[in-house]
Amino acid sequence: MLAPPPTLVTKRLTLRPPEVSDFDDSAAMWADPVVTRFVGGRPNTSEESWARLLRARGLWSLLGYGYWAVRETSTGRYVGEVGFADFHRDIEPSLTGLPEMGWVLTAWSHGQGFGTEAVTAGLAWIDAALKPRVTPCIIDPGNAASLALAAKMDFRIKAHTTYKDAPIIMLERRT
């Protein structure tokens, strides 16, 4: 039996497993072209956002890790989504079997340090809970902000590769 998904609290943020009540905020974020510019390259439909929410929550029961909905604790305002997954991506080198980290933040929250705060909390949790030797992530080469955050969190470039016929940078963090 897997442990229930944890809720993490930082100085300014609450990271908790996604709930149905997060759907409107999540769908609005995924429909924003500023947010999706480097994540899929186009706004998501409501149906695609619903599938994302279901997948984010379902990861926890299947793998023991997954994504959190991130909210500003003081206001309850939706900040984004941060977490881990094994998507069995069609990518080389393979990421299958590894807890791939990902993060996406609402446009209003960019530039406020929320990404650093949430990613730090997620990494601290997975390091303690699963003790992975390697945690990978993939980032669009044009996404300077995410590449800077990854570098700050000790992710290092492993490969320049392609995913869904687009260039991508594969990074990894070793513990």
Side-chain angles (χ1 to χ4, degrees), residues 16-53:
R16 62 165 173 66
E19 299 174 357
V20 171
S21 61
D22 294 314
F23 175 67
D24 288 342
D25 291 329
S26 179
M29 178 185 72
W30 284 107
D32 184 344
V34 170
V35 172
T36 60
R37 176 179 175 200
F38 298 117
V39 186
R42 64 168 181 77
N44 286 198
T45 65
S46 180
E47 179 182 351
E48 290 167 327
S49 294
W50 179 248
R52 279 183 182 278
L53 186 135

Side-chain angles (χ1 to χ4, degrees), residues 22-102:
D22 294 314
F23 175 67
D24 288 342
D25 291 329
S26 179
M29 178 185 72
W30 284 107
D32 184 344
V34 170
V35 172
T36 60
R37 176 179 175 200
F38 298 117
V39 186
R42 64 168 181 77
N44 286 198
T45 65
S46 180
E47 179 182 351
E48 290 167 327
S49 294
W50 179 248
R52 279 183 182 278
L53 186 135
L54 295 174
R55 178 175 66 186
R57 182 61 188 236
L59 286 162
W60 288 103
S61 62
L62 294 173
L63 301 177
Y65 56 86
Y67 272 74
W68 291 278
V70 181
R71 291 192 177 270
E72 187 177 34
T73 304
S74 65
T75 65
R77 194 168 183 192
Y78 199 75
V79 172
E81 298 163 12
V82 170
F84 304 91
D86 181 357
F87 292 130
H88 289 246
R89 295 183 191 275
D90 185 14
I91 192 170
E92 289 297 329
S94 176
L95 300 175
T96 300
L98 298 173
E100 176 190 337
M101 185 166 209

Side-chain angles (χ1 to χ4, degrees), residues 29 32 34-36 79 104-115 145:
M29 178 185 72
D32 184 344
V34 170
V35 172
T36 60
V79 172
V104 61
L105 303 177
T106 56
W108 76 267
S109 69
H110 292 175
Q112 298 185 53
F114 288 138

Side-chain angles (χ1 to χ4, degrees), residues 136-157:
C137 69
I138 60 172
I139 301 175
D140 183 292
N143 192 341
S146 277
L147 288 168
L149 174 56
K152 186 189 289 188
M153 298 292 112
D154 293 325
F155 283 90
R156 301 291 178 246
I157 294 174

